[in-house]
Amino acid sequence: MQNTDLSFSYLDDLNDIQRQAVTTIEGPVMVIAGPGSGKTRVLTFRIAHLIKSGIAPWQILALTFTNKAAKEMKGRIEQVVGQSAYKVWAGTFHSIFSRILRVEAHRIGYPNDFTIYDTDDSKSVIKEILKTLSLNPKEYNVGAVRSRISSAKSNLITPKAYGTNEELLMADQMNRRPMTHKIYEKYVAKCLRAGAMDFDDLLLQTFKLLYTNPDNIRDKYQSQFKYLMVDEFQDTNFLQYEILKLFSIYNGSNHNICIVGDDAQSIYSFRGATIENILQFEQDFPDVKTFKLEQNYRSTNYIVQAANEIINQNSRQIQKKIWTANDGGHKIKLTKAMTENEEGKLVADKIIEQKNRYSLANKDIAILYRTNAQSRIFEEYLRRNNIAYKIYGGISFYQRKEIKDIIAYMRLSINHKDDEALKRVINYPKRGIGQTSVGKIIQIANDNEVSMWECLNSIDFNGRAKKSVGEFVNIVRASQQKAKTSDAYKTALFIVKKSGIIDLFKAENSIEAQGRIDNINALLDGIQEFTEDDILEEGENIDNQERTLSNFLQTISLMTDQDKKEDNVDSVTMMSVHAAKGLEYKSVFVVGMEENLFPSYMSLSSPDQLEEERRLFYVAITRAEQHISLSFANSRYQYGNVRFNDPSRFLDEISDDIIEANITMKAKPEFGPPKVLGGNFKKLPQNKPKGLAVDASNFKPNPASEIRVGQQILHLKFGQGEVLSIDERNVATIRFSNAIDSPEKRIMLQYARLQIIEE
DNA sequence: GTAGTCACTATTTGA
DNA sequence: TAGTGACTAC
């Protein structure tokens, strides 16, 4: 079926392989796309080509990594096929699936107005469960338990299956968290009771919906989505792949699925992503046609060469040869700094120099780091030099307390059963419902296995609390009414007023409080924009894109960092390497190139994780078009200590003749015994921390590897002690003779600074 | 029931 | 260091 309009001129803009990938529209297709190889082009043109070939836009499902990418894609498709581009189902896994669940959730026992729990909410649920099970939160690290549950869900392991899985139970046993399966079970029940889905549920419940197939719902979606495209396939997890299969195997045959990815850029295994999916794909779809995009159009030859040298150190990868027709360009710059402060200064200097010399704009430049905590220093020096910058990641606007509070009211008015939201605001602003009352509600809700809201009525509170609870219930009910009859903005305005939070800040009358009021106003502005967006984008006539408060909440909870990025501002970009995926800049600074930082010390023990760090570095370098500058600091202030790290091993992997350094890398320290603060602890010119038991200037800690059971040691803070034991995780139990509280402390040797005074 | 202090502890990436 | 949770005093 061909459209009458046969202008396929856009195909002329593609190279041979790209064109083949675009025009092969039937059957399974795999595109392995190296960095800068025109992947986005292929994706957009392929969709445009499908539409031009007579496929209805709403029959195309395109799953991208960010919502912004989806939006951009639609814009570019529009240029080829016009307005109908906006009818393509394009978005992230999470946003597309949550859109489907908003319509279908009731079929699997959830309300269609379900709340989306973010990571904080999940943790809070787990904390509460720990309490009810009388488990020690110190042993049951909440974050660890959460990610355990998350990965179980991502691997389709139900609580029941978890409870009978020897391997998992054993692992939990080893980690001294044998009750994890019990927590998992309770967690799932609690979320269901609250009408809430966490991020994993958006995938898992979609799977459940299609798999259990109530009312033959699978048929509805299989027959709608005739063509599937998946970007960044290397970062999908097992569960996501299973859902894809449910979508794409229609009547056992219709395999119009196209996946695009690059195994060398797989950087999310910590989130459950697995490269296995790429390998598995070839097995599951044996008639797959594979196209490899190997020509890099983005970067100069030096950059491509460096990237190749690095990635070749990895053992497992799909064979490909990335090349470029671009000339050598500028060599890779390597800068050594003495301290992280100097690194900040040097990078700022270099930025000024590059701006002048190559007439770069701020927005052509990015500073990438391994951890978000590194941003502070660069922020300081850029500000000092009057260079505009923008930081992505870290604490976002929606994480601010006052914003979360307002949002909790909103969530609660949409879904009363949202326990996490209720706990947050039932006594905020203070209305005399204290710990005791809240504790009582939690207890009774748990005992009866209902949400907290559902038992508010039946509890007999004492006089004051009774009145307060009544007030609170009224606020929520009134907000709910408003949400039913008004748009998001009007409802938000109502809630902000009714909740009394603004009054609270006004009464406080401080600069800080004013800042919070400003933030709330910014939130309202954002909601207004969202509400009016409807009028602006006429083409976006997707069924459930109404501008209700409920939809606003969904949008913000599924927003990625890149979605928040504004393009038209001329500022230097600062972000983690992870967040930089898919982006490109004329000049890129990768900072903190040190052992224990990049690669992260968390990855040093496992070869697999080390390879992932290397891929991450590969991603970092290949963001650059013309300039790549690497830097490291000799010493760095971390967690309140000065740490001395060797230059990153990744620097060795780039050949010297394409590096231009302000030092000779030959002078690199040889890999001797780990220098974990060995001997060269330096006293900093700053206030001496209070309560030191030992004079810091004479304190010379020994390497952790030398600590043995039975030794007498010195600890800066606790003074003299005896090492009683060291367990398999390198945690030492030490009895300190003059410790005030408990004499025995468990010290992580990895971080501890101990000086041996007697063997 | 609330506010303030204090000591302890964990350090990555994120939808 | 920074964030948190427990404890104490009002």
Side-chain angles (χ1 to χ4, degrees):
Chain A
M1 280 256 280
Q2 298 258 297
N3 203 315
T4 43
D5 174 16
L6 283 177
S7 55
F8 291 113
S9 62
Y10 51 91
L11 293 177
D12 299 341
D13 296 339
L14 301 170
N15 71 27
D16 273 353
I17 304 173
Q18 289 174 336
R19 194 176 316 112
Q20 286 173 42
V22 165
T23 53
T24 307
I25 57 177
E26 299 297 326
V29 170
M30 174 155 85
V31 180
I32 303 292
S37 61
K39 183 188 68 172
T40 313
R41 264 176 114 82
V42 167
L43 273 168
T44 49
F45 284 173
R46 193 168 190 277
I47 295 175
H49 189 74
L50 284 168
I51 297 173
K52 281 270 186 186
S53 306
I55 312 296
W58 49 268
Q59 292 188 313
I60 301 168
L61 174 60
L63 297 163
T64 57
F65 204 70
T66 65
N67 290 303
K68 182 160 167 270
K71 212 170 177 180
E72 267 174 27
M73 213 154 86
K74 287 184 191 174
R76 286 167 71 165
I77 299 168
E78 186 198 1
Q79 291 172 5
V80 184
V81 304
Q83 283 282 304
S84 66
Y86 289 98
K87 292 183 185 163
V88 172
W89 280 65
T92 61
F93 276 86
H94 294 268
S95 66
I96 294 281
F97 292 171
S98 103
R99 202 172 129 192
I100 291 174
L101 288 168
R102 287 273 172 233
V103 182
E104 317 288 357
H106 63 278
R107 297 179 201 274
I108 46 171
Y110 280 86
N112 283 2
D113 262 330
F114 61 88
T115 300
I116 297 173
Y117 272 178
D118 65 16
T119 307
D120 285 343
D121 295 320
S122 299
K123 282 185 178 170
S124 162
V125 173
I126 293 169
K127 262 184 217 161
E128 200 186 298
I129 295 173
L130 290 180
K131 246 183 227 158
T132 59
L133 292 175
S134 314
L135 297 171
N136 182 355
K138 279 177 187 149
E139 281 160 28
Y140 284 79
N141 177 305
V142 176
V145 174
R146 194 205 66 89
S147 65
R148 206 72 189 138
I149 293 174
S150 169
S151 96
K153 286 185 172 182
S154 310
N155 287 296
L156 282 174
I157 298 166
T158 60
K160 207 173 163 198
Y162 196 115
T164 57
N165 185 316
E166 285 301 323
E167 203 180 323
L168 291 173
L169 294 179
M170 194 71 113
D172 287 337
Q173 198 76 246
M174 295 267 285
N175 287 313
R176 299 185 194 167
R177 291 192 278 265
M179 292 293 279
T180 303
H181 73 280
K182 196 77 198 157
I183 302 171
Y184 180 21
E185 190 187 314
K186 283 193 174 286
Y187 174 82
V188 169
K190 239 175 147 4
C191 287
L192 183 62
R193 253 184 272 148
M197 298 200 195
D198 64 16
F199 290 131
D200 302 305
D201 278 326
L202 295 177
L203 308 177
L204 183 61
Q205 304 308 332
T206 302
F207 176 85
K208 208 182 249 172
L209 177 76
L210 295 174
Y211 188 78
T212 58
N213 198 18
D215 311 318
N216 208 13
I217 198 79
R218 187 164 64 224
D219 194 52
K220 172 176 166 188
Y221 287 98
Q222 283 183 336
S223 57
Q224 174 175 350
F225 298 128
K226 295 244 161 61
Y227 290 85
L228 264 77
M229 317 242 319
V230 188
D231 192 12
E232 308 282 8
F233 185 74
Q234 77 280 356
D235 287 325
T236 54
N237 62 31
F238 176 74
L239 173 54
Q240 286 168 320
Y241 184 41
E242 289 303 310
I243 300 170
L244 285 177
K245 283 198 276 189
L246 283 177
F247 272 121
S248 62
I249 302 178
Y250 178 50
N251 283 344
S253 67
N254 198 342
H255 296 165
N256 293 321
I257 178 170
C258 168
I259 62 161
V260 182
D262 180 6
D263 57 309
Q265 294 184 63
S266 153
I267 54 175
Y268 280 99
S269 75
F270 74 93
R271 213 163 75 183
T274 162
I275 316 188
E276 299 300 327
N277 281 350
I278 292 193
L279 309 171
Q280 191 60 41
F281 189 82
E282 293 182 293
Q283 311 243 310
D284 290 336
F285 299 90
D287 52 335
V288 62
K289 296 198 184 71
T290 302
F291 302 97
K292 288 184 187 173
L293 306 180
E294 297 177 309
Q295 180 174 4
N296 177 312
Y297 295 95
R298 177 187 297 152
S299 313
T300 64
N301 196 29
Y302 280 138
I303 296 172
V304 172
Q305 190 188 332
N308 278 338
E309 285 176 2
I310 289 155
I311 204 65
N312 283 338
Q313 304 287 324
N314 273 6
S315 50
R316 268 180 18 134
Q317 48 188 314
I318 292 174
Q319 273 314 308
K320 58 186 162 310
K321 180 73 193 152
I322 306 301
W323 61 281
T324 183
N326 298 336
D327 62 16
H330 307 278
K331 286 190 176 180
I332 284 104
K333 302 265 186 323
L334 178 62
T335 306
K336 171 189 178 164
M338 291 312 292
T339 63
E340 82 269 36
N341 260 302
E342 199 193 17
E343 187 185 31
K345 183 180 179 306
L346 290 174
V347 167
D349 289 350
K350 270 257 156 57
I351 287 178
I352 295 169
E353 186 200 316
Q354 284 190 352
K355 282 177 64 176
N356 292 330
R357 202 152 142 201
Y358 307 108
S359 46
L360 296 181
N362 288 333
K363 64 171 165 39
D364 296 328
I365 301 168
I367 301 175
L368 308 182
Y369 31 75
R370 179 65 179 79
T371 67
N372 283 311
Q374 287 164 257
S375 65
R376 218 205 71 244
I377 291 271
F378 299 99
E379 201 178 345
E380 195 180 313
Y381 280 96
L382 290 185
R383 197 186 299 136
R384 230 182 254 189
N385 287 290
N386 277 322
I387 302 171
Y389 63 87
K390 189 102 184 76
I391 298 180
Y392 297 94
I395 311 142
S396 86
F397 180 74
Y398 296 102
Q399 305 280 328
R400 289 168 201 268
K401 185 183 176 303
E402 62 274 21
I403 301 300
K404 287 194 100 167
D405 291 334
I406 296 278
I407 287 183
Y409 273 103
M410 297 179 177
R411 277 166 49 172
L412 205 52
S413 52
I414 302 295
N415 171 17
H416 298 339
K417 299 199 285 185
D418 185 341
D419 281 356
E420 292 310 309
L422 187 138
K423 274 193 284 181
R424 193 172 179 100
V425 292
I426 187 166
N427 196 32
Y428 184 83
K430 299 237 153 56
R431 49 173 76 87
I433 309 174
Q435 268 174 26
T436 322
S437 305
V438 174
K440 206 192 255 174
I441 302 170
I442 293 177
Q443 168 98 51
I444 293 176
N446 279 337
D447 291 349
N448 293 287
E449 303 196 335
V450 292
S451 71
M452 290 168 72
W453 175 270
E454 285 164 288
C455 53
L456 283 186
N457 282 328
S458 52
I459 297 177
D460 195 20
F461 296 103
N462 60 33
R464 187 165 161 224
K466 189 170 197 152
K467 189 164 158 277
S468 306
V469 169
E471 277 168 31
F472 175 70
V473 168
N474 284 339
I475 295 176
V476 175
R477 285 244 167 84
S479 308
Q480 175 195 27
Q481 268 313 312
K482 191 79 186 169
K484 273 187 186 155
T485 53
S486 295
D487 61 37
Y489 178 62
K490 290 195 192 111
T491 313
L493 214 54
F494 179 85
I495 288 175
V496 167
K497 266 197 210 135
K498 195 86 181 168
S499 69
I501 292 180
I502 289 271
D503 299 334
L504 197 71
F505 291 136
K506 278 192 181 143
E508 199 182 306
N509 198 21
S510 67
I511 297 174
E512 205 195 18
Q514 187 53 48
R516 293 183 193 277
I517 294 179
D518 292 345
N519 283 336
I520 293 176
N521 281 327
L523 174 69
L524 288 172
D525 287 347
I527 299 179
Q528 187 170 24
E529 214 175 285
F530 172 86
T531 310
E532 289 170 358
D533 204 25
D534 203 20
I535 303 148
L536 295 177
E537 285 189 58
E538 200 71 52
E540 202 175 351
N541 59 346
I542 298 161
D543 324 334
N544 65 341
Q545 290 291 310
E546 307 150 69
R547 306 309 184 181
T548 58
L549 189 62
S550 167
N551 274 333
F552 175 76
L553 292 178
Q554 168 176 329
T555 308
I556 59 169
S557 52
L558 296 177
M559 209 142 51
T560 63
D561 267 347
Q562 288 188 21
D563 295 336
K564 294 171 207 145
K565 202 164 167 335
E566 313 135 41
D567 293 317
N568 313 325
V569 195
D570 184 37
S571 44
V572 171
T573 303
M574 283 194 247
M575 57 169 77
S576 71
V577 182
H578 281 91
K581 183 163 111 140
L583 304 177
E584 56 186 12
Y585 297 89
K586 285 197 178 124
S587 173
V588 169
F589 291 80
V590 187
V591 299
M593 292 302 305
E594 293 144 39
E595 288 290 302
N596 299 315
L597 190 56
F598 199 179
S600 157
Y601 69 92
M602 299 291 285
S603 319
L604 293 180
S605 51
S606 127
D608 281 353
Q609 286 186 46
L610 199 61
E611 294 214 340
E612 176 146 318
E613 293 281 317
R614 189 175 281 112
R615 291 193 295 270
L616 192 57
F617 185 43
Y618 177 77
V619 168
I621 286 199
T622 52
R623 297 310 94 203
E625 296 169 3
Q626 297 165 8
H627 306 274
I628 182 89
S629 313
L630 311 174
S631 59
F632 63 93
N634 211 21
S635 73
R636 181 176 293 277
Y637 205 55
Q638 271 175 309
Y639 315 123
N641 298 318
V642 183
R643 321 259 333 220
F644 296 84
N645 293 318
D646 288 334
S648 169
R649 68 188 69 193
F650 297 151
L651 296 174
D652 286 334
E653 297 168 2
I654 307 172
S655 38
D656 287 347
D657 57 327
I658 59 171
I659 294 186
E660 203 177 285
N662 76 338
I663 41 125
T664 46
M665 280 307 286
K666 297 296 163 218
K668 259 179 318 223
E670 62 290 352
F671 282 93
K675 291 200 306 180
V676 190
L677 289 175
N680 40 11
F681 177 78
K682 202 164 61 181
K683 211 178 128 198
L684 279 178
Q686 59 160 320
N687 303 338
K688 223 192 275 177
K690 275 177 279 175
L692 281 193
V694 180
D695 182 359
S697 53
N698 292 329
F699 185 72
K700 288 213 174 61
N702 293 74
S705 53
E706 291 175 26
I707 305 297
R708 301 272 178 278
V709 174
Q711 285 167 339
Q712 289 291 321
I713 52 86
L714 267 187
H715 184 283
L716 263 189
K717 209 158 162 191
F718 304 123
Q720 185 174 345
E722 184 190 348
V723 182
L724 299 180
S725 66
I726 299 176
D727 73 11
E728 71 285 356
R729 290 177 307 167
N730 245 351
V731 176
T733 306
I734 299 176
R735 186 193 294 128
F736 292 99
S737 35
N738 42 12
I740 317 127
D741 40 28
S742 60
E744 284 183 21
K745 293 184 190 305
R746 284 160 52 80
I747 308 268
M748 294 171 78
L749 292 179
Q750 196 177 359
Y751 301 113
R753 301 196 312 276
L754 303 172
Q755 179 181 349
I756 301 168
I757 51 176
E758 201 182 296
E759 293 292 332

